[in-house]
Amino acid sequence: MQKQFSLEGKVALVTGASYGIGMAIAKAFHAAGAVIVFNDINADLVQKGLDAYREAGIAAHGYVFDVTDEEQVEKTIAQITSEVGVIDILVNNAGIIKRIPALEMSAKDFRQVIDIDLNGPFIVSKAVAPGMIKKGGGKIINICSMMSELGRETVSAYAAAKGGLKMLTRNLACEWAEHNIQVNGIGPGYIATPQTAPLRVAGHPFNDFIISKTPAARWGTTDDLQGPAVFLASQASDFVNGHILYVDGGILAYIGKQPK
Ligand code: NAP
Ligand code: GCO
């Protein structure tokens, strides 16, 4: 059974993994035996990530590219393939959020979120898939969200992107299953990372709100995502396709605490 969950001999690319959820997933992949490749949007972030991986005893490979830039992506994926090896596992993790009421959000801001959170995963998946097909298979994991299923005020662009990412996951799963590529998603609940730091300020109403909406009654940690990610990256999930695995402490199952 351990072999089912082993990533020995695999090359894993995690986008936007200089810190946060991406780094936690990359560390879990390393512990399962994978060679770690990651990118971020600028050299300072990549260096910060390389230092952090080294401190954790991981000789990661870091590359600078913007997931929305098709030319940069294709060039760098070719470089990774020649310098490290064919990518067996791709995690489309890089993402941003803009919390702006829809009536106040510019089309430019809306487009930027869609570009990074939805177009980016398409562009990187399309660049990585040919190598997987040639090699006989691979794993793609898209990092979705509660907002793949639910809306809330101020996150219209993010919800549209993450809802689209859920359907992109399902569609690529259908197109590439015949090549033994399994495309799935992870839908984290509310996780303590820099992205949610503004919402976790002590006494912030949102903090109490999320605790009340989560049956597990706590914010998730990036460690909570490690096991699910290794499962979807390993042969243990070879017959799982187009599935979004929600790791949310029960949020999506919960109608809400009944008033006392
Ligand atoms: P994060 O702390 O903001 O990290 C995202 C990473 O992606 C950052 O390193 C960021 O770099 C990088 N990035 C942004 N735009 C990029 C681009 N165009 N090209 C390459 N890299 C880029 O986010 P996180 O909380 O770890 O979340 C990671 C993923 O999980 C995101 O897709 C997010 O939507 C999703 N998610 C998060 C939560 C949560 O509660 N935290 C829950 C569900 C889903 P910069 O530092 O320069 O922005
Ligand atoms: C927000 C949060 C969420 C989380 C995550 C939940 O403002 O509502 O940032 O969107 O990031 O996506 O799954």
Side-chain angles (χ1 to χ4, degrees):
M1 182 48 75
Q2 266 180 332
K3 186 173 178 304
Q4 284 274 324
F5 290 86
S6 168
L7 304 182
E8 282 299 335
K10 302 292 184 189
V11 174
L13 167 62
V14 185
T15 65
S18 293
Y19 57 88
I21 287 172
M23 174 166 276
I25 289 175
K27 286 179 174 177
F29 284 2
H30 175 264
V35 171
I36 301 306
V37 183
F38 74 102
N39 84 302
D40 227 302
I41 190 123
N42 63 53
D44 290 348
L45 270 174
V46 168
Q47 190 51 57
K48 171 183 163 189
L50 285 169
D51 296 344
Y53 285 114
R54 191 177 314 108
E55 230 168 271
I58 301 171
H61 303 263
Y63 293 85
V64 179
F65 65 86
D66 178 340
V67 294
T68 66
D69 183 323
E70 195 163 19
E71 198 183 325
Q72 274 184 35
V73 168
E74 287 176 352
K75 189 164 85 30
T76 315
I77 297 302
Q79 186 184 353
I80 292 167
T81 304
S82 83
E83 292 176 355
V84 186
V86 172
I87 293 164
D88 301 289
I89 302 160
L90 167 64
V91 179
N92 286 306
N93 167 77
I96 65 167
I97 190 167
K98 288 179 184 285
R99 299 184 183 97
I100 307 168
L103 282 176
E104 297 162 31
M105 179 176 257
S106 68
K108 180 169 176 281
D109 277 335
F110 190 93
R111 283 196 190 96
Q112 189 189 9
V113 175
I114 298 288
D115 205 15
I116 295 168
D117 293 8
L118 181 56
N119 296 342
F122 170 74
I123 290 167
V124 181
S125 300
K126 190 170 148 246
V128 168
M132 290 179 170
I133 290 170
K134 217 181 286 173
K135 192 168 181 182
K139 299 281 187 177
I140 297 177
I141 302 169
N142 293 322
I143 306 297
C144 297
S145 162
M146 292 293 93
M147 276 56 225
S148 296
E149 302 292 343
L150 303 170
R152 83 174 186 85
E153 300 79 3
T154 77
V155 292
S156 59
Y158 184 81
K162 294 296 189 180
L165 185 57
K166 172 178 73 173
M167 289 316 300
L168 176 66
T169 300
R170 290 185 176 155
N171 204 80
L172 294 183
C174 298
E175 283 198 41
W176 295 343
E178 66 178 315
H179 302 297
N180 188 32
I181 297 172
Q182 290 82 48
V183 186
N184 292 291
I186 288 178
Y190 280 81
I191 311 294
T193 72
Q195 191 246 51
T196 54
L199 305 173
R200 282 181 287 109
V201 172
H204 190 300
F206 196 93
N207 187 58
D208 302 339
F209 168 69
I210 277 304
I211 299 296
S212 75
K213 294 290 279 183
T214 308
R218 67 174 175 87
W219 280 80
T221 69
T222 55
D223 290 359
D224 290 320
L225 302 168
Q226 292 185 313
V230 170
F231 164 64
L232 288 178
S234 68
Q235 67 178 69
S237 60
D238 279 358
F239 201 52
V240 179
N241 265 322
H243 182 74
I244 312 299
L245 177 54
Y246 288 102
V247 185
D248 65 354
I251 292 175
L252 289 181
Y254 195 32
I255 193 170
K257 203 176 280 304
Q258 64 181 32
K260 284 221 178 3

